[in-house]
Amino acid sequence: MRTLISILFLLAVNNIIGQKFSLEGVVQNPNEGNLEGATVFVQNTNDSITMAYAITNKDGEFSIRINAENQNKLLFRVAHLGYIPYSKEILVPESDKLVLDDIIVEEQVEELTEVFLLGEAPPVLMKKDTIEYNADSFKTLPNDKVEDLLKKLPGIEIDMDGGITHNGIEVEAVNVDGMRFFGEKNGNIAIKNLPSLVIDKVQVTDFKTDLQKFTGEESDSGTKELNLKIKKGKNKGYFGDVAGGYGTDKKYQVNANLFQLIDGKQLGVIAGSNNINLSNGFNSLPDTDTSNGYLESDFVGANFTKGKWNETQVNSNYRFSSQSRETEQKTIRDNFLPDLNYTTYSERIGSNDSDSHNANLDLKFLLEPKNKSASKRVQIANKTDFIMSNSESFNQETTQSKESNGDLVSDYTSANQAISDQYSISNNFSVTPRIGNNRDFFHIGISTNINKNQSSGKKYSENILHQKNTTNIQDQISETDNFSTNIGLNANWNKELFTGFRVIPRYSVRIGNSSNERFVYDFNTDEDSYEEFNQQLSTQNNYITTSVSPAIGLRYNYKGFRFEALGNYTNTYRKYVDKIIEERNFKTDFNFMTYSGRIRYRDDKGYKNINLNYDQNVDLPSIGQLQPVPDVNNQLHIRTGNPFLKPAINHNFRFQYQNNLAFNNINITGDAGASFVKDKIINSTITDEDLIKNTTYTNIQGDYSFNGNTAITKTYFSQNSNININLRLHGSFRNNLSLQNNVKFTAQSSVLRPSLSFRYAYDKKLDFNASYSYELNKTIYDTDIYDNNAYFVQNLQLNSTVYFFKDAFFTNKVSYRYNSRVGDAFDGDAVFWNAGLGMQLLDGNGTLTLVGYDILGKNNGYVRTVSEAFIQDSESKILEQYFMLTFSYKFGRFAGQRMDMNRRPGRSQMRRIRS
């Protein structure tokens, strides 16, 4: 740590040395005056390395802080879509400030789709409502994937579950060159398999559905979308890699990827195998994210894509996955009831082996008008998905329960095994004609889905009740056969009645029909066979549901504002018929109205975006919540439905604020939400003296919650340095009502979580990232039966890469977490350290890395869970320490030219800014 601090200090001192000055000026358009949103940057005249950049504000002003080092003249550039690139040489002043004369940029005479810039583009570009990152400006390791690149981009974060956010806003979709990769919306395969060095740019935009893209409708999602632009030649290219590693404790991973680009087509093949808890992809140095259990995975896939959203498009892919997972967990749970407190000690082991086949075909045809200038077009789309999977699982549990005074209440053991096969095919067909010249359109779609599931299982459970000196045994086998079909129709018409005002009538119908059989047989000790039919646990039913929903929407645009309102009437009919137990049968008819509204403001540059949303939705009771027949499948927890349940009505309010202060390289986001639930459906549980739970369901009033987030991101950039600071604050409050042993009580839970992240990259020598979060949790009860509780969780992560000699690097990933309320039987803190020492070989095509995973052996799988009725500490089996030697080899050509495998920030290249 001292060595790292010393290196940071020396690099900081190095940044101070040199001629520093502020460059200021105003960029103007000869026709419209000051030009906002222009990218202004300064380059080294010797090698065209970008030294600093800025974005002009609404008055066309810019201010750049430059460290000229030993240069006496620099190259000054201005770029903006629709304008001729501007450049001139400037002399480095002796003073600390240089003010340029007004800079006039001329509009392009012809309407071009590209603006070419000589030399490297700035690291970040603002283009209307798009933020574009230049990938070459961010240093990555030779064998890094896209996921590693994304983590280095200002404002982008990836959490432990793989969720991506940009400035705190969820990223809903990831595309490659404007197209889905392997048919995935979340882009998981793309970011874990594509090499980072083949990415040219990462574009961040508001997420739009395919329908919104085709019709030109504005996004209303409130989420973001990433587009990964791959480096291309003029004609075609291919690239890929092969990698493998073997380590201690027989740990291994192998992977191969091949991707080809041919005139707007994408072809990809991926394959791999590992036993280090990766579902797919290759990771030479895993992150310090604890993964529960042991996972062995084999996978292979192929993908073909042609065409983007605005042209005829074909996407087809196939994926096969075979996984074997083992889990093991120990838990201690303190249970709190109004008239009884007790503790359970549990141990669980489990395994699951599964194979799955996934295939889909997505076709979109565009019918263009004979008159190319006309806006009338028709899109015909059809998407088919097929899934076939089978699995075999086993789990075993032992649980001992004691009263608070230590008296033994029960000993429970169970063992379950199951084999299942599942088949699913779905199809979505739609036609969307654009009508007239005002972006009017009509859309109609038909969806179908067919599912079939077959399974067989064996279950044994034994519950010894010590106070009654009795033993209850369940020893059963079961056979299940389920088949369901669903069909839906939806249509909407989007029509402009007068300038800025639109009416949007909608209509949807959903019809579902399912036949389900589950036959359970108890073990007969006399006959030594499973032949006693268990009527209470068996079912042979038919379930029909229909939903009809007409709606009307209104929209009005006025300058930067948009006003929207939607009213929706829904009729949902349900009919359930069971041939074995008639008491399960029911017939319901729900009728309800829902409303939603939105006010949105966005400035003409897309920098500032403010949304105020109201949404009302209805949660209908499930089948099990309505059936007044005890479900005794689990002898420790018996559930009985309530046929008199009402639907729960949710009222949700959300305020969202985004402001990109491009002039200052600052991005500010914030959101606040409130939710109020009428007739919330909750569990009403009674636990008897033998700790057997009996649960039914009821409606309750008074449930509400609030939450809010804010984030501020600041970026500094110079010729050799890149600094990114991100400050976040999350807060939430929930008023949660519960019923335990006929006692109604309220738990008010609050969470406050500030966090800070810092990234510093210096030239080709160092990349350092640190993040810290502190989470304070409090729960206050309105009754003396329960004790209020509070605890905090701290998380610290340190990631660093040091580059030395010519082609060597040393990478460290360290995380520390502490939970103040983990029980005495568990360790409340954990240190997780991964490291890799590597070197590039074979002219930069190969990379050899020695990896250490959990070097200190201090990582653990301890987790604390707190609710209104219990506090649980658990320890899960995790991937343990190993050391591995990995080797990867990269290859590729673009337009007949060998792909550059040694990407370095700041290299002089031809760059293009696409509109």
Side-chain angles (χ1 to χ4, degrees), residues 560-575:
F561 289 90
R562 167 172 286 193
F563 304 90
E564 294 178 308
L566 176 69
N568 192 96
Y569 170 78
T570 301
N571 169 259
T572 298
Y573 170 78
R574 294 173 169 183
K575 182 180 180 181

Side-chain angles (χ1 to χ4, degrees), residues 623-905:
I623 295 175
Q625 290 175 333
L626 289 172
Q627 293 175 325
V629 179
D631 178 0
V632 294
N633 186 60
N634 180 357
Q635 63 170 303
L636 296 184
H637 197 165
I638 301 169
R639 301 175 183 271
T640 307
N642 176 6
F644 303 105
L645 280 179
K646 301 176 183 177
I649 302 175
N650 301 277
H651 301 272
N652 302 303
F653 299 86
R654 172 68 60 184
F655 172 79
Q656 296 172 305
Y657 176 85
Q658 303 175 42
N659 193 3
N660 194 323
L661 306 177
F663 177 74
N664 303 106
N665 284 334
I666 294 176
N667 193 288
I668 301 173
T669 60
D671 67 87
S675 178
F676 303 88
V677 185
K678 179 183 179 182
D679 294 323
K680 181 183 178 182
I681 300 173
I682 67 168
N683 296 348
S684 176
T685 301
I686 295 178
T687 304
D688 63 23
E689 66 275 6
D690 296 320
L691 307 183
I692 306 299
K693 295 181 180 180
N694 289 270
T695 294
T696 187
Y697 308 94
T698 187
N699 295 106
I700 201 168
Q701 310 298 331
D703 187 277
Y704 59 89
S705 62
F706 305 97
N707 65 83
N709 301 275
T710 185
I712 301 176
T713 302
K714 171 69 176 176
T715 301
Y716 299 89
F717 181 86
S718 66
Q719 177 177 350
N720 294 318
S721 302
N722 187 0
I723 298 175
N724 183 60
I725 302 173
N726 194 321
L727 178 64
R728 298 182 182 280
L729 179 64
H730 165 81
S732 65
F733 173 85
R734 183 178 179 186
N735 192 76
N736 189 40
L737 288 79
S738 298
L739 272 173
Q740 296 286 343
N741 284 24
N742 291 323
V743 176
K744 177 182 175 182
F745 62 93
T746 301
Q748 295 185 332
S749 303
S750 61
V751 177
L752 183 65
R753 182 175 63 247
S755 61
L756 173 68
S757 63
F758 169 83
R759 178 177 178 267
Y760 176 78
Y762 179 78
D763 195 26
K764 308 169 188 178
K765 300 178 178 64
L766 174 70
D767 195 326
F768 175 76
N769 180 279
S771 64
Y772 173 78
S773 67
Y774 178 92
E775 180 177 301
L776 178 63
N777 296 264
K778 288 185 177 181
T779 303
I780 299 175
Y781 300 95
D782 66 349
T783 174
D784 294 333
I785 297 173
Y786 298 109
D787 294 329
N788 300 334
N789 65 75
Y791 68 98
F792 66 88
V793 178
Q794 296 185 88
N795 284 280
L796 174 66
Q797 288 193 332
L798 302 172
N799 297 334
S800 67
T801 301
V802 178
Y803 306 89
F804 57 96
F805 300 134
K806 182 180 179 181
D807 295 308
F809 57 88
F810 181 51
T811 299
N812 289 274
K813 297 182 178 181
V814 181
S815 70
Y816 170 80
R817 68 177 183 272
Y818 176 77
N819 189 322
S820 67
R821 282 290 300 273
V822 170
D824 295 336
F826 302 99
D827 192 353
D829 58 359
V831 179
F832 195 177
W833 178 25
N834 298 338
L837 179 63
M839 177 173 289
Q840 288 186 264
L841 307 170
L842 305 175
D843 296 326
N845 295 327
T847 303
L848 185 68
T849 308
L850 177 62
V851 176
Y853 180 89
D854 190 15
I855 293 176
L856 300 178
K858 295 293 186 179
N859 188 33
N860 59 54
Y862 301 139
V863 176
R864 163 156 288 211
T865 305
V866 178
S867 77
E868 66 275 6
F870 66 83
I871 296 177
Q872 175 177 289
D873 292 319
S874 62
E875 177 188 5
S876 298
K877 183 179 183 179
I878 61 173
L879 186 63
E880 297 177 343
Q881 181 189 78
Y882 68 83
F883 295 88
M884 179 179 289
L885 186 66
T886 69
F887 178 76
S888 64
Y889 182 82
K890 300 179 290 293
F891 54 87
R893 282 182 175 272
F894 285 107
Q897 300 296 317
R898 181 185 174 197
M899 185 172 64
D900 181 11
M901 297 298 176
N902 295 294
R903 185 176 78 193
R904 294 289 189 271

Side-chain angles (χ1 to χ4, degrees), residues 281-320:
F282 182 88
N283 197 334
S284 59
L285 183 60
D287 290 325
T288 52
D289 297 334
T290 300
S291 52
N292 292 332
Y294 287 165
L295 174 65
E296 295 183 11
S297 177
D298 305 311
F299 57 91
V300 64
N303 177 76
F304 172 76
T305 302
K306 180 181 183 299
K308 300 180 181 179
W309 63 266
N310 57 350
E311 55 191 24
T312 294
Q313 182 183 49
V314 178
N315 180 276
S316 61
N317 61 81
Y318 166 78
R319 287 168 286 162
F320 168 78

